[in-house]
């Protein structure tokens, strides 16, 4: 329900006169990571083959089970069996070689080596099957309800599937790991035995002369059944994005997964951005006062409100509503007195608790001006009592004489 509401909000806010967003990929999902809000989706819950996007899970499970990334391991021959027949992408590690876990991590994420994923599996738990069990356990732990893995690299198999929604959830989790993020956003790496690795991001942008203004890191995937897939992490003007696309076609040998990514990023960076709705210290609401030296009580913003919105948002549509105590006095108890609600186009953006600090100054003159007859009567009554007192005192003196 929450996801549906956020999507409706964004769709409602689409700038007028902007061409609708169209991409070639069958499935896609985009998040603003700063606010963790869904911006765009297309077939995001459809179960699909995900090709080498599988290696995102392989990498994070490996990282959480490796105690020392610089530990040297020997490449087992069993880990390399059958990869050539399956036409799997490989780094080129050879049986008997001595390499580190760090080499293997870069090998599976940058050039997308299936040999790297298999070697990690055999070295950590003794077999690919056992490692896949760990991957599926992690999927359940993360709540990836529409995901299942059958190998470590993502070769076509009806039992290896996910959704772009689940992959985005997985990647958001993985990016919280600083080592994963460092590897994921790297473009080149030299292994401990001298192999030069380049990311598929670098490969595609150079080969097809793509101008990359946004993407910091990515994981590509391709099989005949899955089509071209891409999970990318991007940043523009301080706003971080996460995009997963799958099922992109080719045309005359040109794959559309990166082109789709740039189309999506172009659309949102050109038409959306962080807008400041009010600044820290701005007066949000003014309350009336009574019996106070101050004529009013101003409620100030304790922090700025910045929201990711269409750049053509009309600031006149911003509404600030207050509910609570309408009149303050020096006698009002300290504590919460009400709530300020900030709306844009009838959509609630923020609720703020208003707390009275007891900082109004009592004013005798304000009370006198508000109730002059009462005070005149009070002073008249005191004067009468004074006269009666004096008269009584004088009467007692005469009695003594």
């Amino acid at each position: 329900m929450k996801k549906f509401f956020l999507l409706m909000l964004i769709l409602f806010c689409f700038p007028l006169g902007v061409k609708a967003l169209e991409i070639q990929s069958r499935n896609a999902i985009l998040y603003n990571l700063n606010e963790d809000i869904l911006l765009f989706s297309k077939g995001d819950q459809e179960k699909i083959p995900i090709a080498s996007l599988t290696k995102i899970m392989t990498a994070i499970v490996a990282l959480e089970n490796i105690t020392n990334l610089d530990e040297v391991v020997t490449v087992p021959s069993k880990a390399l069996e059958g990869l050539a027949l399956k036409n799997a992408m490989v780094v080129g590690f050879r049986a008997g070689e001595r390499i580190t876990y760090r080499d293997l991590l870069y090998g599976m994420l940058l050039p997308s080596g299936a040999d790297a994923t298999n070697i990690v599996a055999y070295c950590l738990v003794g077999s690919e099957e056992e490692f896949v069990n760990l991957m599926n356990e992690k999927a359940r732990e993360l709540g990836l309800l529409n995901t299942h893995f059958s190998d470590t690299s993502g070769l076509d198999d009806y039992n290896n599937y996910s959704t772009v929604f689940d992959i985005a959830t997985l990647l958001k989790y993985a990016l919280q790991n600083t080592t994963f993020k460092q590897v994921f956003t790297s473009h080149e790496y030299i292994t401990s035995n001298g192999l030069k690795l380049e990311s598929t991001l670098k490969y595609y942008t150079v080969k097809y002369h793509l101008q990359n203004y946004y993407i910091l890191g990515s994981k590509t995937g391709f099989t005949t059944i899955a089509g071209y897939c891409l999970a990318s992490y991007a940043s523009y003007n301080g706003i971080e994005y996460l995009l997963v696309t799958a099922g992109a076609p080719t045309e005359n040998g040109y794959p559309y997964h990166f082109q789709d990514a740039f189309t999506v990023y172009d659309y949102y960076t050109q038409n959306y951005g962080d807008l400041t709705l009010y600044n820290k210290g701005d007066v949000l609401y003014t309350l009336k006062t009574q019996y106070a030296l101050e004529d009013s009580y101003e409620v100030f913003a304790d922090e700025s409100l910045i929201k990711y919105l269409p750049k053509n948002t009309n600031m006149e549509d911003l509404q600030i509503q207050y509910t609570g105590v309408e009149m303050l006095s020096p006698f009002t108890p300290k504590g919460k007195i009400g709530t300020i609600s900030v709306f844009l186009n009838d959509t609630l953006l923020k609720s703020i608790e208003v707390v009275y600090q007891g900082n109004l100054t009592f004013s005798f003159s304000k009370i006198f001006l508000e109730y002059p007859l009462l005070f005149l009567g009070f002073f008249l009554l005191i004067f009468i009592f004074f006269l009666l007192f004096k008269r009584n005192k004088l009467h007692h003196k005469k009695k003594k004489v």
Side-chain angles (χ1 to χ4, degrees), residues 113-140:
D115 51 351
T117 63
N118 278 9
I119 295 166
V120 160
Y122 274 86
C123 289
L124 280 176
V125 295
S127 71
E128 183 179 16
E129 291 76 16
E130 189 60 35
F131 193 90
V132 169
N133 288 337
L134 296 179
M135 293 167 65
N136 286 317
E137 285 178 16
K138 193 67 182 180
R140 289 190 292 272

Coordinates of all heavy atoms in Angstrom, one line a residue, residues 113-140:
G113 N 32.9 -12.8 -13.8 CA 33.4 -14.1 -14.0 C 32.7 -15.2 -13.3 O 32.7 -15.2 -12.0
A114 N 32.2 -16.2 -14.0 CA 31.6 -17.4 -13.4 C 32.6 -18.2 -12.7 O 32.3 -18.9 -11.7 CB 30.8 -18.2 -14.4
D115 N 33.8 -18.2 -13.2 CA 34.9 -18.9 -12.5 C 35.2 -18.4 -11.1 O 35.4 -19.1 -10.2 CB 36.2 -19.0 -13.4 CG 36.6 -17.6 -13.8 OD1 35.9 -16.6 -13.7 OD2 37.8 -17.5 -14.4
A116 N 35.1 -17.1 -11.0 CA 35.3 -16.4 -9.7 C 34.2 -16.9 -8.7 O 34.5 -17.2 -7.5 CB 35.3 -14.9 -9.8
T117 N 33.0 -16.9 -9.1 CA 31.9 -17.3 -8.2 C 32.0 -18.8 -7.8 O 31.8 -19.1 -6.6 CB 30.5 -17.1 -8.9 OG1 30.3 -17.9 -10.0 CG2 30.3 -15.6 -9.3
N118 N 32.4 -19.6 -8.7 CA 32.5 -21.0 -8.4 C 33.7 -21.3 -7.5 O 33.6 -22.1 -6.5 CB 32.7 -21.9 -9.7 CG 31.3 -22.2 -10.3 OD1 30.3 -21.7 -9.9 ND2 31.4 -23.1 -11.3
I119 N 34.8 -20.6 -7.7 CA 36.0 -20.8 -6.9 C 35.7 -20.3 -5.4 O 36.0 -21.0 -4.5 CB 37.2 -20.0 -7.4 CG1 37.6 -20.5 -8.8 CG2 38.3 -20.0 -6.4 CD1 38.5 -19.6 -9.6
V120 N 35.0 -19.2 -5.3 CA 34.6 -18.7 -3.9 C 33.7 -19.8 -3.2 O 33.9 -20.1 -2.0 CB 33.8 -17.4 -4.0 CG1 33.0 -17.2 -2.8 CG2 34.8 -16.3 -4.2
A121 N 32.8 -20.4 -4.0 CA 31.9 -21.4 -3.4 C 32.7 -22.6 -2.9 O 32.5 -23.0 -1.7 CB 30.8 -21.8 -4.4
Y122 N 33.6 -23.1 -3.7 CA 34.3 -24.3 -3.3 C 35.3 -24.0 -2.2 O 35.5 -24.9 -1.3 CB 35.1 -24.8 -4.6 CG 34.3 -25.8 -5.4 CD1 33.5 -25.3 -6.4 CD2 34.3 -27.1 -5.2 CE1 32.7 -26.1 -7.2 CE2 33.6 -28.0 -6.0 CZ 32.7 -27.5 -7.0 OH 32.0 -28.3 -7.8
C123 N 35.9 -22.8 -2.2 CA 36.9 -22.5 -1.2 C 36.2 -22.2 0.2 O 36.8 -22.5 1.2 CB 37.7 -21.3 -1.6 SG 38.9 -21.7 -3.0
L124 N 35.0 -21.7 0.2 CA 34.4 -21.3 1.4 C 33.6 -22.5 2.0 O 33.7 -22.7 3.3 CB 33.4 -20.1 1.2 CG 34.1 -18.7 1.2 CD1 33.0 -17.7 0.9 CD2 34.8 -18.4 2.5
V125 N 32.8 -23.2 1.2 CA 32.0 -24.2 1.8 C 32.1 -25.6 1.2 O 31.4 -26.5 1.5 CB 30.5 -23.8 1.8 CG1 30.3 -22.6 2.7 CG2 30.0 -23.5 0.4
G126 N 33.0 -25.7 0.2 CA 33.3 -27.1 -0.4 C 32.5 -27.4 -1.7 O 32.9 -28.4 -2.4
S127 N 31.5 -26.7 -2.0 CA 30.7 -27.0 -3.2 C 29.8 -25.8 -3.6 O 29.5 -25.0 -2.8 CB 29.9 -28.3 -3.1 OG 28.8 -28.0 -2.2
E128 N 29.5 -25.8 -4.9 CA 28.6 -24.8 -5.4 C 27.2 -25.0 -4.8 O 26.5 -24.0 -4.4 CB 28.5 -24.8 -6.9 CG 27.6 -23.6 -7.5 CD 27.5 -23.6 -9.0 OE1 27.9 -24.6 -9.6 OE2 27.1 -22.6 -9.5
E129 N 26.7 -26.2 -4.7 CA 25.4 -26.5 -4.2 C 25.2 -26.0 -2.7 O 24.2 -25.4 -2.4 CB 25.2 -28.0 -4.2 CG 25.0 -28.6 -5.6 CD 26.4 -28.8 -6.3 OE1 27.4 -28.7 -5.6 OE2 26.3 -29.0 -7.5
E130 N 26.2 -26.2 -1.9 CA 26.2 -25.8 -0.5 C 26.2 -24.2 -0.4 O 25.4 -23.6 0.4 CB 27.3 -26.3 0.3 CG 27.2 -26.1 1.8 CD 26.0 -26.7 2.4 OE1 25.6 -27.8 2.0 OE2 25.4 -26.1 3.3
F131 N 26.9 -23.6 -1.3 CA 26.9 -22.2 -1.3 C 25.6 -21.6 -1.8 O 25.1 -20.6 -1.2 CB 28.1 -21.6 -2.2 CG 28.4 -20.2 -2.0 CD1 29.3 -19.8 -1.1 CD2 27.7 -19.2 -2.8 CE1 29.6 -18.4 -0.9 CE2 28.0 -17.9 -2.6 CZ 28.9 -17.5 -1.7
V132 N 25.0 -22.2 -2.8 CA 23.7 -21.8 -3.2 C 22.6 -21.9 -2.1 O 21.7 -21.0 -2.0 CB 23.2 -22.6 -4.5 CG1 21.8 -22.4 -4.8 CG2 24.1 -22.3 -5.7
N133 N 22.8 -22.9 -1.2 CA 21.9 -23.0 -0.1 C 22.0 -21.7 0.8 O 21.0 -21.2 1.3 CB 22.2 -24.2 0.7 CG 21.8 -25.5 0.1 OD1 20.9 -25.5 -0.8 ND2 22.4 -26.6 0.4
L134 N 23.2 -21.2 1.0 CA 23.5 -20.0 1.7 C 22.8 -18.8 1.0 O 22.3 -17.9 1.7 CB 25.0 -19.8 1.9 CG 25.7 -20.8 2.8 CD1 27.2 -20.4 2.8 CD2 25.2 -20.9 4.2
M135 N 22.9 -18.8 -0.3 CA 22.3 -17.7 -1.0 C 20.7 -17.7 -0.8 O 20.1 -16.6 -0.7 CB 22.6 -17.8 -2.5 CG 24.1 -17.6 -2.8 SD 24.6 -18.2 -4.5 CE 23.6 -17.0 -5.5
N136 N 20.1 -18.8 -0.9 CA 18.7 -18.9 -0.7 C 18.3 -18.6 0.7 O 17.2 -18.0 1.0 CB 18.2 -20.3 -1.1 CG 18.2 -20.5 -2.7 OD1 17.8 -19.5 -3.4 ND2 18.6 -21.6 -3.1
E137 N 19.1 -19.0 1.7 CA 18.9 -18.6 3.1 C 18.9 -17.1 3.2 O 18.1 -16.5 3.9 CB 19.9 -19.3 4.0 CG 19.7 -20.7 4.2 CD 20.8 -21.3 5.1 OE1 21.5 -20.5 5.8 OE2 20.9 -22.6 5.2
K138 N 19.9 -16.5 2.6 CA 20.0 -15.0 2.6 C 18.8 -14.4 2.0 O 18.3 -13.3 2.5 CB 21.3 -14.6 2.0 CG 21.6 -13.1 2.3 CD 22.0 -12.9 3.7 CE 22.3 -11.5 4.1 NZ 22.6 -11.3 5.5
A139 N 18.3 -14.9 0.9 CA 17.1 -14.4 0.2 C 15.9 -14.4 1.1 O 15.1 -13.4 1.2 CB 16.8 -15.2 -1.1
R140 N 15.7 -15.5 1.9 CA 14.6 -15.6 2.8 C 14.8 -14.6 4.0 O 13.8 -13.9 4.4 CB 14.5 -17.0 3.4 CG 14.0 -18.0 2.4 CD 13.7 -19.4 3.0 NE 14.9 -20.0 3.5 CZ 15.6 -20.9 2.8 NH1 15.3 -21.1 1.5 NH2 16.7 -21.5 3.3

